[in-house]
């Protein structure tokens, strides 16, 4: 996977730019608030169809503008393609178009086209931050390579919302309607089982890839382990085996049914993949509880970089790596390991305040970013 060119029109603080992206490593450097992250956001928006920074698309057009466009030229095993995402007013309403080589694509189709791994300072919280971060990490990693998983997630979230809405209605009416709730249980259980099965299957590949990076940085051997933790009501349980989707479906049906009363009182669904978590261990001890900040960051880095190998193992080519401001958050040892790891193998776009924090050579382009303008420098 190779990005070749990015064009932005009235996007954030870029009026109009066209940037060749074809190098192995492209560095965007400069002071704060000049537009470095906006460029990565532009790449992501063109590639995926949405921003990684906001769900409010009215924030994207340059101040004073209404319409915007982001266009990405890229090359994969199948050849060269062009993705264009644009939003413009038609008869007083905003219309958005996502086009692949001029033809409309759905969000689902677009999701798997350009494989991206995005790494921001927030990801350094992966080990000790909120469980939602770790679920999102798993979901994005798997959905990129599996349209089936993408669909499962979308359907699951829809049914989950419906079940929760129904629980609230029951609560408002002060009457638990079990027969109807069982119908929702059935729909939810089937989807939950599919999601859990996919996650558990992916986990060993992710662990294997993460260990390579982790051991490389720390000099340990297979020190890192991951386990999948199922929240069950008030307690939690580590999942040690995967009996497959059929068995999980039965499990969820049963467990959801046992929780009818509890869910009714709470007004939401207390069990399911939307509550699960990933526990990360160093030599058998949970890193979240016992790890030093450095160990936690190393594990976070290893997990993020595992995405590269994981996606490659499925897609047979590396994804593109976007590193936003991560280098300044790492110490020199980890920085060198990270740069050593990517250099030459993975096409990388990185932002940094200080150019010297990215001492890379080879096929590299560097741009100084100042007030929405780019200047190529040695
Ligand atoms: P840092 O080093 O602090 O992360 P950065 O170079 O990554 O900075 P960006 O986040 O890319 O900065 O850009 C921030 C700049 O973009 C700010 O000056 C902000 O005012 C401007 N900006 C944000 N949204 C828009 C918009 N819709 N139109 C014009 N300018 C915008
Ligand atoms: Mg930034």
């Amino acid at each position: 996977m190779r990005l070749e060119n990015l064009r932005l029109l009235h996007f954030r603080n870029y009026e109009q730019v066209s940037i060749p992206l074809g190098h192995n490593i492209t560095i965007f450097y400069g002071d704060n608030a000049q537009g470095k992250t906006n460029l990565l956001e532009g790449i992501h928006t063109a590639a995926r169809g949405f921003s990684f920074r906001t769900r409010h698309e009215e924030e994207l057009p340059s101040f004073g503008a209404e319409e915007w466009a982001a266009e990405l030229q890229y090359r994969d095993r199948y050849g060269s393609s062009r993705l264009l995402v644009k939003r413009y007013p038609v008869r007083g309403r905003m219309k958005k178009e996502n086009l692949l080589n001029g033809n409309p694509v759905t969000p689902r189709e677009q999701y798997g086209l350009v494989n991206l791994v995005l790494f921001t300072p927030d990801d350094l919280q992966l080990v000790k931050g909120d469980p939602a971060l770790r679920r999102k990490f798993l979901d994005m990693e798997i959905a990129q390579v599996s349209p089936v998983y993408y669909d499962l997630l979308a359907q699951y979230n829809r049914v989950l919302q419906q079940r929760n809405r129904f629980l609230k209605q029951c609560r408002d009416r002060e009457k638990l309607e079990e027969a109807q709730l069982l119908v929702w249980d059935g729909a939810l259980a089937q989807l939950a089982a599919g999601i859990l099965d996919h996650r558990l299957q992916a986990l060993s590949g992710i662990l294997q890839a993460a260990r390579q990076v982790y051991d490389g940085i720390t000099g340990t051997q297979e020190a890192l382990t991951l386990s999948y933790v199922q929240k069950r009501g008030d307690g939690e349980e580590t999942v040690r085996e995967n009996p497959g989707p059929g068995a999980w479906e039965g499990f969820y049906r049963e467990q959801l049914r046992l929780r009818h009363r509890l869910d009714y009182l709470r007004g939401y669904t207390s069990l399911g993949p939307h509550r699960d978590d990933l526990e990360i261990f160093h030599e058998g001890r949970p890193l979240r509880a016992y790890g030093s900040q450095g160990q936690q960051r190393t594990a976070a880095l290893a997990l993020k970089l595992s995405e590269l190998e994981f996606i490659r193992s499925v897609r047979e080519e590396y994804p593109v790596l976007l590193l936003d401001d991560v280098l300044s958050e790492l110490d020199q040892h980890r920085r060198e390991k990270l740069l050593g790891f990517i250099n030459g193998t993975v096409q990388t776009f990185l932002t940094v305040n200080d150019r010297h924090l990215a001492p890379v050579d080879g096929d590299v382009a560097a741009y100084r970013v100042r007030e929405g303008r780019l200047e190529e420098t040695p």
Side-chain angles (χ1 to χ4, degrees), residues 21 32 34 123 144 194 256 317 321 327 374:
L21 302 180
N32 296 127
Q34 301 302 311
D123 293 309
Q144 279 206 60
L256 285 168
E317 60 185 350
L321 181 63
L327 293 181
L374 301 175

Side-chain angles (χ1 to χ4, degrees), residues 135 156 160 188 192 195-196 199 228-233 251-252 255-256 259 269-277:
R135 285 193 296 268
Y156 180 81
L160 179 66
L188 200 65
I195 290 175
L196 183 57
R199 284 185 183 171
Y228 191 89
V229 180
Q230 237 175 6
K231 304 274 161 172
R232 296 185 183 172
F251 164 84
Y252 278 119
Q255 293 292 324
L256 285 168
R259 280 185 176 68
T269 305
S270 58
L271 170 103
H274 65 290
R275 310 261 302 160
D276 293 347
D277 199 357

Side-chain angles (χ1 to χ4, degrees), residues 103-340:
N103 303 308
V105 277
T106 63
R108 174 184 187 272
E109 288 163 345
Q110 187 163 4
Y111 202 81
L113 286 177
V114 177
N115 291 124
L116 294 179
V117 172
L118 169 71
F119 193 3
T120 74
D122 287 349
D123 293 309
L124 290 167
Q125 300 296 314
L126 198 59
V127 173
K128 73 165 187 208
D130 203 71
L133 269 177
R134 291 180 287 280
R135 285 193 296 268
K136 188 172 162 209
F137 159 75
L138 268 182
D139 288 342
M140 290 193 29
E141 185 152 350
I142 305 169
Q144 279 206 60
V145 293
S146 167
V148 173
Y149 190 75
Y150 182 99
D151 291 343
L152 279 170
L153 275 181
Q155 288 165 13
Y156 180 81
N157 288 326
R158 208 173 310 128
V159 174
L160 179 66
Q161 271 182 14
Q162 288 167 328
R163 188 179 189 269
N164 287 344
R165 212 175 302 134
F166 181 71
L167 286 165
K168 288 199 187 82
Q169 281 168 9
C170 288
R171 207 170 54 174
D172 291 346
R173 294 192 209 118
E174 296 181 17
K175 183 170 186 305
L176 173 58
E177 292 180 41
E178 297 232 38
Q180 179 61 35
L181 196 51
L182 280 171
V183 177
W184 289 121
D185 290 359
L188 200 65
Q190 194 199 358
L191 297 163
I195 290 175
L196 183 57
D197 179 56
H198 270 80
R199 284 185 183 171
L200 294 173
Q201 284 195 41
L203 216 54
S204 60
I206 292 171
L207 175 61
Q208 210 183 350
R211 274 182 172 168
Q212 271 181 24
V213 184
Y214 192 79
D215 290 344
I217 298 177
T218 56
T220 49
Q221 266 194 341
E222 305 199 341
L224 191 72
T225 38
L226 298 175
S227 60
Y228 191 89
V229 180
Q230 237 175 6
K231 304 274 161 172
R232 296 185 183 172
D234 297 326
E236 53 181 54
E237 192 99 10
T238 298
V239 178
R240 298 186 198 283
E241 276 165 25
N242 183 12
W248 285 124
E249 187 176 341
F251 164 84
Y252 278 119
R253 271 178 196 274
E254 171 71 6
Q255 293 292 324
L256 285 168
R257 192 179 57 78
L258 289 173
R259 280 185 176 68
H260 276 185
R261 195 81 216 155
L262 182 74
D263 287 0
Y264 165 70
L265 291 172
R266 290 186 175 174
Y268 64 82
T269 305
S270 58
L271 170 103
H274 65 290
R275 310 261 302 160
D276 293 347
D277 199 357
L278 204 58
E279 181 86 83
I280 301 149
F281 299 86
H282 173 90
E283 288 177 344
R285 283 189 201 88
L287 267 173
R288 190 152 41 129
Y290 299 108
S292 71
Q293 172 140 301
Q295 282 175 321
Q296 291 173 347
R297 286 182 163 219
T298 304
L301 185 62
L303 285 168
K304 280 308 285 185
L305 294 183
S306 78
E307 290 189 47
L308 300 172
E309 284 300 334
F310 179 77
I311 291 171
R312 190 189 66 124
S313 68
V314 181
R315 281 292 164 97
E316 292 171 15
E317 60 185 350
Y318 275 112
V320 167
L321 181 63
L322 307 181
L323 292 176
D324 189 23
D325 240 350
V326 177
L327 293 181
S328 50
E329 299 282 327
L330 298 174
D331 62 29
Q332 193 180 343
H333 176 65
R334 291 187 185 82
R335 204 155 55 224
E336 280 168 8
K337 289 285 179 186
L338 169 62
L339 293 173

Side-chain angles (χ1 to χ4, degrees), residues 12-13 31-38 53 59-63 325 353:
R12 296 285 193 187
N13 65 341
D31 294 340
N32 296 127
Q34 301 302 311
K36 301 182 297 297
T37 303
N38 291 346
R53 286 219 275 199
E59 293 170 14
L60 297 179
S62 306
F63 299 146
D325 240 350
N353 286 130

Side-chain angles (χ1 to χ4, degrees), residues 75-92:
R75 174 178 290 281
D76 59 14
R77 294 187 286 147
Y78 309 105
S80 196
S81 297
R82 194 164 40 87
L83 267 170
L84 173 62
V85 175
K86 56 180 178 175
R87 205 159 177 263
Y88 54 93
V90 180
R91 281 181 237 105

